[in-house]
């Protein structure tokens, strides 16, 4: 009466289609995760780039300039003063080779220090900017 089915092997078409649909649903959810992750990484790389550029400028200022250099400079003779990339490059005595907009604001501070605020902004994406501070004490 009954037919023995133990010898049949393989999957039905319905089982294959169901497994493909489940796989597509799972992969789609992972794809959106990886897309968001890639955008987050790119944004952080851009922010890190402006931060590193600002820190490099601060290091050049700390090594190259003294209070007298700033106060006696024809570029920045009176404080406070704001210097853009070209003027800052002249004050440092070396070219600044960066594609970012760079500015430095020099101002008097306590105990005879000069406070320097360095701002770096990405030309392509103005929302991507960084600021850092230092003091000139020599």
């Amino acid at each position: 009466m009954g037919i023995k089915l133990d010898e049949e092997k393989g999957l039905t078409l319905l089982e294959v289609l169901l497994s493909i649909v489940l796989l597509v649903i799972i992969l789609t959810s992972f794809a959106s995760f990886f897309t968001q992750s890639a955008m987050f990484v790119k944004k952080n790389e851009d922010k890190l780039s402006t931060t590193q550029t600002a820190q490099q400028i601060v290091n050049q200022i700390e090594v190259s300039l003294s209070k007298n250099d700033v106060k006696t400079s024809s570029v920045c003779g009176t404080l406070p003063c704001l210097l853009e990339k070209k003027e800052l490059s002249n004050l440092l005595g070396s070219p600044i080779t960066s594609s970012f907009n760079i500015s430095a604001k020099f101002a008097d501070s306590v105990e005879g220090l000069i406070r320097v605020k360095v701002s770096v902004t990405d030309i392509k994406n103005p929302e991507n900017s960084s600021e850092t501070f230092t003091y000139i004490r020599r």
Side-chain angles (χ1 to χ4, degrees):
M1 264 199 232
I3 301 173
K4 194 172 185 181
L5 298 176
D6 289 340
E7 295 176 12
E8 290 185 27
K9 296 180 181 174
L11 299 172
T12 65
L13 182 59
L14 184 60
E15 291 171 329
V16 171
L17 289 176
L18 185 60
S19 65
I20 289 173
V21 167
L22 288 174
L23 185 62
V24 166
I25 291 171
I26 291 170
L27 290 178
T28 302
S29 65
F30 279 123
S32 65
F33 170 74
F34 288 122
T35 305
Q36 290 291 334
S37 178
M39 289 179 2
F40 182 72
V41 166
K42 174 67 175 144
K43 189 173 182 178
N44 281 337
E45 284 176 351
D46 293 344
K47 181 67 174 174
L48 181 62
S49 182
T50 58
T51 302
Q52 286 176 334
T53 301
Q55 190 58 48
Q56 287 173 349
I57 299 299
V58 164
N59 290 343
Q60 283 182 323
I61 289 171
E62 288 175 341
V63 169
S64 302
L65 298 179
S66 68
K67 287 191 293 187
N68 288 335
D69 293 334
V70 175
K71 288 188 176 184
T72 60
S73 166
S74 62
V75 179
C76 185
T78 60
L79 297 178
C81 77
L82 178 66
L83 302 180
E84 298 299 324
K85 184 177 5 181
K86 185 176 179 181
E87 298 160 325
L88 182 60
S89 182
N90 290 340
L91 182 63
L92 292 172
S94 62
I96 298 173
T97 57
S98 173
S99 62
F100 298 129
N101 283 333
I102 298 171
S103 65
K105 183 176 182 180
F106 296 83
D108 280 323
S109 184
V110 295
E111 298 182 18
L113 299 174
I114 295 178
R115 182 175 187 239
V116 183
K117 173 185 170 186
V118 176
S119 301
V120 177
T121 306
D122 190 350
I123 297 170
K124 298 173 189 169
N125 182 8
E127 292 178 3
N128 183 20
S129 64
S130 183
E131 292 180 343
T132 189
F133 300 88
T134 189
Y135 290 90
I136 300 175
R137 25 182 166 215
R138 306 179 263 142

